[in-house]
Amino acid sequence: MTAPDALRTTFSFAPPVNDAAAWHLQLNDLAAEIVEAFPGASTSLGGDLGPRSADALSFEVPLGGGLWLEGLATTPYPGSGSVMVVQASAAEAARFAVWLRDSFVPAPDLVHFTSELALNSGDDAYWVLAPHGSIDEIAQTLQQHIDSTGRS
């Protein structure tokens, strides 16, 4: 599934910047949906992360073949927040992103994303995740995003 030398980064998925509450994100709902969609997944609710108080949900999702995807969702304001997958390849992140787009957010055109690599290189623009497309197509988009940072 993922090449052993694939570049890994943390991807952040969020609603459009101009409509931060578009997902109506509720961490309890996200936790229940993750556990239902990914048998063997685990979730843990927490709070007060970082410099600003925010509710948080950490999760682990099995991808098969002994691979796991770790993530964190935060809601600094009621109904608004983001979901991150931590140190993931583009192919691994794509599996979660497609599920998020197709099964959790209220409309498939409401998923925007960035990465730790982009932010660390000074690029704070969010890309729009295609509202349609296979896991492989989304993996290509996420890889293009990684490649655009000038790192390979």
Side-chain angles (χ1 to χ4, degrees):
M1 177 175 99
T2 299
D5 61 345
L7 188 60
R8 296 178 173 284
T9 188
T10 297
F11 288 94
S12 176
F13 301 99
V17 173
N18 63 352
D19 192 5
W23 292 3
H24 312 288
L25 184 58
Q26 301 296 317
L27 297 181
N28 286 329
D29 294 342
L30 180 61
E33 294 286 336
I34 286 172
V35 169
E36 183 178 327
F38 298 94
S42 65
T43 63
S44 177
L45 288 167
D48 292 337
L49 294 177
R52 177 172 195 5
S53 180
D55 290 328
L57 170 73
S58 59
F59 57 89
E60 292 182 329
V61 174
L63 297 179
L67 293 174
W68 286 80
L69 185 65
E70 293 182 31
L72 179 70
T74 59
T75 54
Y77 299 101
S80 68
S82 63
V83 180
M84 296 180 290
V85 292
V86 180
Q87 293 304 305
S89 69
E92 293 162 355
R95 291 188 56 192
F96 189 83
V98 168
W99 170 79
L100 187 69
R101 177 196 69 193
D102 294 349
S103 301
F104 186 74
V105 299
D109 61 338
L110 293 177
V111 181
H112 292 204
F113 72 94
T114 190
S115 69
E116 181 180 28
L117 286 174
L119 294 171
N120 286 345
S121 66
D123 181 359
D124 61 357
Y126 272 78
W127 290 37
V128 178
L129 193 74
H132 305 287
S134 68
I135 291 172
D136 288 340
E137 291 167 326
I138 298 305
Q140 289 175 1
T141 299
L142 296 177
Q143 188 62 52
Q144 288 171 350
H145 172 83
I146 288 173
D147 294 345
S148 76
T149 66
R151 296 180 177 186
S152 52

